[in-house]
């Protein structure tokens, strides 16, 4: 069973989504498990502070190392093999292949293009640069369907760079900046969990849909009524000719821009 532990200051922002629809069903069926660690509990001093001003000056506050390391280490004490994911706008851009890899569907890196999000460290502070482990950069991910992922959700203006030394994967949701890692965490979890066999209704749905084979987009689909305000369903789809239907679908599949 795949497991996600989400380290966040705002578990209440994530819980409702994970208790709804497919994510809830996945948990109910024992196919996925979601746990939360409230970063505030690892805060410092009477105010349980988790952030501070940047050395060298500048606007905003940065997540401090101590609460983050203590939170991650509390999870790793129970499961030392857990992998740490950091959502950040400077990470590897998330895509379907990475979701498949994380779901344990693709376990071997076959090409440079197939490489998963670049790991930034292997879990220690061993290399000469505290935030880089070149050997890990080449490896890609080799997840199994049982992998435990810790997703650290930063907030405020950013994080102390030394936090990267305990991060395995930096993942970006795209070239825009969000206020925190909570939305990226939900997107990563959703896109991975729905791929796990048994989570979606039709067993083939995750296989044939958009992006499951590289950049192919899904073909157009229709349901009843046949005629909606003058817009009719293409007749080939009513023909019962499976060969012609497959050909039409192939011809009408889009390509990602
Ligand atoms: N945190 C803030 N912006 C982000 C982005 N685009 N992707 C992932 N994490 C983020």
């Amino acid at each position: 069973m795949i497991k996600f532990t989400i380290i966040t200051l705002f578990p209440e922002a994530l819980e409702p989504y994970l208790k709804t629809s497919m994510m809830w069903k996945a948990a109910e069926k024992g196919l996925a498990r979601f746990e939360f660690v409230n970063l505030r509990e690892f805060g410092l001093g009477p105010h349980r502070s988790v952030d501070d001003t940047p050395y060298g000056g500048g606007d905003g506050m940065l997540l401090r190392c101590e609460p983050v390391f203590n939170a991650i280490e509390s999870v790793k004490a129970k499961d030392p093999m857990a992998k740490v994911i950091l959502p950040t706008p400077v990470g590897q851009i998330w895509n379907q292949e990475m979701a498949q890899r994380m779901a344990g569907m693709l376990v071997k890196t076959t090409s440079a293009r197939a490489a998963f999000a670049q790991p930034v460290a292997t879990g220690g502070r061993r290399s000469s640069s505290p935030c880089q482990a070149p050997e890990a950069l080449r490896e890609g991910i080799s997840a199994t369907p049982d992998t435990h992922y810790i997703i650290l959700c930063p907030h405020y203006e950013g994080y102390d760079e030394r936090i990267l030394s305990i991060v395995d994967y930096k993942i970006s949701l795209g070239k825009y900046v969000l206020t925190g890692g909570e939305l990226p965490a939900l997107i990563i979890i959703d896109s991975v969990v729905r791929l796990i066999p048994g989570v979606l209704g039709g067993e083939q749905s995750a296989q044939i849909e958009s992006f499951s084979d590289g950049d192919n987009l899904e073909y157009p689909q229709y349901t009843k009524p046949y005629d909606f305000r003058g817009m009719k369903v293409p007749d080939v789809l009513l023909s019962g000719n499976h060969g012609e239907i497959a050909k039409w679908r192939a011809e009408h599949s889009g390509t990602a821009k």
Side-chain angles (χ1 to χ4, degrees):
M1 176 179 46
I2 197 163
K3 183 169 168 188
F4 291 93
T5 299
I6 305 139
I7 300 178
T8 172
L9 289 166
F10 305 104
E12 68 278 9
L14 297 125
E15 269 164 344
Y17 188 81
L18 296 177
K19 286 188 175 156
T20 308
S21 186
M22 291 301 173
M23 298 304 108
W24 175 78
K25 279 191 186 153
E28 279 290 297
K29 288 183 182 173
L31 299 169
R33 192 156 156 201
F34 310 118
E35 287 184 2
F36 295 95
V37 169
N38 193 328
L39 189 58
R40 188 65 65 195
E41 286 170 19
F42 294 85
L44 306 171
H47 299 297
R48 299 230 171 254
S49 169
V50 297
D51 59 339
D52 216 323
T53 51
Y55 278 116
D59 287 339
M61 304 285 272
L62 303 180
L63 265 189
R64 290 176 63 122
C65 287
E66 306 96 311
V68 168
F69 274 65
N70 289 338
I72 290 175
E73 283 164 4
S74 77
V75 181
K76 286 213 173 196
K78 287 173 247 159
D79 185 357
M81 299 301 285
K83 300 281 178 215
V84 180
I85 294 170
L86 178 75
T88 164
V90 296
Q92 178 103 356
I93 305 267
W94 184 242
N95 63 28
Q96 186 69 6
E97 187 173 319
M98 289 150 71
Q100 289 172 334
R101 248 165 229 293
M102 202 180 269
M105 292 169 70
L106 305 170
V107 291
K108 227 169 162 220
T109 302
T110 51
S111 66
R113 193 182 148 272
F116 182 70
Q118 295 167 358
V120 293
T122 48
R125 278 126 272 168
R126 297 184 292 276
S127 56
S128 51
S129 160
C131 305
Q132 293 206 344
E135 69 284 3
L137 289 176
R138 286 194 300 270
E139 277 169 17
I141 198 167
S142 58
T144 73
D146 288 329
T147 304
H148 179 185
Y149 297 102
I150 300 168
I151 306 186
L152 169 66
C153 301
H155 227 78
Y156 308 110
E157 304 298 318
Y159 46 84
D160 187 306
E161 188 74 6
R162 291 166 291 186
I163 286 171
L164 295 182
S165 68
I166 47 165
V167 167
D168 294 290
Y169 305 108
K170 292 195 296 179
I171 292 174
S172 166
L173 263 293
K175 294 185 178 179
Y176 46 84
V177 181
L178 300 164
T179 53
E182 285 76 15
L183 286 173
L186 286 179
I187 291 169
I188 291 165
I189 291 170
D190 186 295
S191 56
V192 170
V193 169
R194 64 187 294 288
L195 294 174
I196 294 166
V199 172
L200 292 188
E203 64 286 359
Q204 282 189 313
S205 328
Q207 303 296 327
I208 60 171
E209 69 192 2
S210 302
F211 302 107
S212 60
D213 184 21
D215 289 336
N216 291 336
L217 287 171
E218 221 165 56
Y219 44 76
Q221 300 194 83
Y222 302 85
T223 185
K224 295 180 186 69
Y226 167 71
D227 184 340
F228 179 69
R229 300 185 181 178
M231 295 178 281
K232 297 196 176 85
V233 177
D235 286 330
V236 62
L237 299 179
L238 289 82
S239 68
N241 183 330
H242 296 299
E244 283 300 313
I245 292 171
K247 193 167 153 234
W248 183 90
R249 285 178 169 167
E251 283 167 5
H252 289 78
S253 291
T255 304
K257 297 279 181 303

